[in-house]
Amino acid sequence: MIRCLLALIVLALAPPAWAREKAPDLILTGQIVGADHQTYKPVTFEVPPGVTRLTVAFDYTGKDQRTVVDIGLMDPQRFRGWSGGNKRTFTLAIEDATMSYLPGPLPAGRWTLLLGIPNTRAATVASYEARIFLERATGAPGLTAPPLKAGPGWYRGDLHAHTGHSDGSCQTQSGARAPCPVYRTAEAASARGMDFIAITDHNTTSHFEAMAELQPAFDKLLLIPGREVTTFQGHANVFGPTAFIDFRLGDPAVPDVRTLQGLVEAAGGLLSINHPSAPSGEACMGCGWTTANTDYARVQAIEVANGGSERAQGGAEGPLLGLAFWEARLNAGHRITAIGGSDNHDAGLSPDVASSIGRPTTVVHADELSTAGLLAGLRAGRVFIDLDGTRDRVLDLSARGAMGTAAMGGALPFQRGETVTFTVTAFGVGPAMLEVVQDGVGRTSVFTSSDVFSIKMGDRPSWVRVDLRDLGGRLMLIGNPIYLTPAR
């Protein structure tokens, strides 16, 4: 009886927005009658070749008459899962699947949606509908889910973390070290008060299944699928997709970095170069970015601040900081978002230690708390880095000129010789110093709660951004630029 009531409660939930808005590829309908009581009813459908993700949204009538329908799935070759009455929508792909279901290849042929009917009354006639969504594009996002929070705002998170699916480890019950499960990283991020975290294990895709299992329980923490594409000439995070991306740079399969960039684009991923200023050699193979012929027009982000680098050099600033590498690309005319990541390898590290989960934190202004929303925010560049991983600091920059306005990450046209006014807004920083950086050259002044400064423009493109330091000169917040372009 309790089981049936729980099934009714779960199945009364509204389906996710995408399932209401997107047209299904197949709609399977039928009836449940008295003769179906305590039987299994197979509902078959054809899956064509080339499908990379299959999603089922199921509903039925007759619940007020105590009709109960459980569901499971079989592909042409094997059993793929059974969720009974506890899930109204589920999805399967090669690398991930909703809990209760098995990931793996989606073979073409006849599939079976298996309906189990533990109860239906003799005189009751109920109807069911199963909407089947078939995705074929390799660029389809992974771990699709409705937004955890609707509406625009500043969302805080960590974009670089490792678990036992690669080289992350943590303390066991007995005090030894062991590969660290994904849930420990999620718990640490939740305890830090973060809104999102990307799990970016090296080259593998195995952690996506664990993330799919954990996400429903972490309904305030978005788990963003990622992986660190680790090559002999550099490391780069890819955020968004769960499909395999070949990492064998220099091998005939991936002869050059532009081929790798094409694979990332085909998968629908956002590419971020990691710890670009790190040394490369026997101490850290391929850690620095030494890849020749990188097309920086196809790089969306650079990890300017890395927690592991900060820990190694005893502070944020030093030869391992990626600011100079990033600003050189800005001066070359590229628009690339600066981000940070803890590069955490031990979810149990104390929160006040560099490279603990959320230190540094990347803060993104996004339209909603979802993977698509966060990736769009990263591409837009209204992003700052909080080196201390606080819960409340905010840094924003806007510009106003004769031809309009722009926010951090945006572009503003200007007329030759005009003066553009910039406004800095910051919260939670206390007494601080403002560093204004134009085209890589900075000047510092004491910061007030809303600082305004002006720059007279010449006749060439420029970029302007701001950082905040404490009164001792220690870097606290790193801001992204506003891009200024001469009007034609």
Side-chain angles (χ1 to χ4, degrees), residues 315-358:
E317 294 188 271
L320 303 182
L321 185 67
L323 269 176
F325 181 95
W326 170 54
E327 290 185 342
R329 274 70 205 170
L330 298 182
N331 284 338
H334 300 291
R335 299 182 182 180
I336 304 175
T337 303
I339 64 172
S342 68
D343 202 354
N344 177 264
H345 287 72
D346 179 357
L349 280 180
S350 172
D352 59 354
V353 174
S355 80
S356 61
I357 294 292

Side-chain angles (χ1 to χ4, degrees), residues 31-32 36 50 80 104 120 122-123 126 174 196 202 238 320 359 395 458 467:
Q31 291 186 330
I32 305 294
D36 295 319
R80 295 303 291 264
T120 186
S174 64
F196 65 87
H202 295 280
V238 175
L320 303 182
R359 186 166 175 180
L395 174 65
D467 298 332

Side-chain angles (χ1 to χ4, degrees), residues 158-162 185 196-200 211 222-226 239:
D158 192 339
L159 289 171
H160 193 165
H162 298 279
T185 295
F196 65 87
I197 188 165
I199 310 296
T200 55
M211 292 169 64
L222 179 68
L223 305 178
I224 297 177
F239 306 115

Side-chain angles (χ1 to χ4, degrees), residues 384-436:
F384 69 91
I385 304 166
D386 184 343
L387 293 171
D388 298 324
T390 69
R391 298 191 182 197
D392 57 357
R393 288 178 181 167
V394 171
L395 174 65
D396 203 0
L397 179 67
S398 62
R400 178 179 296 276
M403 303 184 69
T405 62
M408 185 164 60
L412 179 67
F414 64 86
Q415 297 171 345
R416 180 179 180 180
E418 81 161 282
T419 297
V420 175
T421 301
F422 296 83
T423 302
V424 183
T425 304
F427 302 103
V429 296
M433 292 191 296
L434 174 68
E435 184 173 35
V436 177

Side-chain angles (χ1 to χ4, degrees), residues 182-246:
V182 174
Y183 83 86
R184 292 257 188 113
T185 295
E187 285 182 334
S190 179
R192 187 132 197 170
M194 293 195 299
D195 299 304
F196 65 87
I197 188 165
I199 310 296
T200 55
D201 282 309
H202 295 280
N203 292 336
T204 188
T205 59
S206 61
H207 52 296
F208 298 142
E209 176 70 358
M211 292 169 64
E213 179 176 347
L214 290 173
Q215 184 66 87
F218 287 86
D219 57 359
K220 295 182 179 180
L221 176 71
L222 179 68
L223 305 178
I224 297 177
R227 91 285 306 272
E228 186 168 15
V229 177
T230 306
T231 80
F232 303 138
Q233 292 86 43
H235 301 182
N237 277 342
V238 175
F239 306 115
T242 57
F244 171 69
I245 296 172
D246 201 329

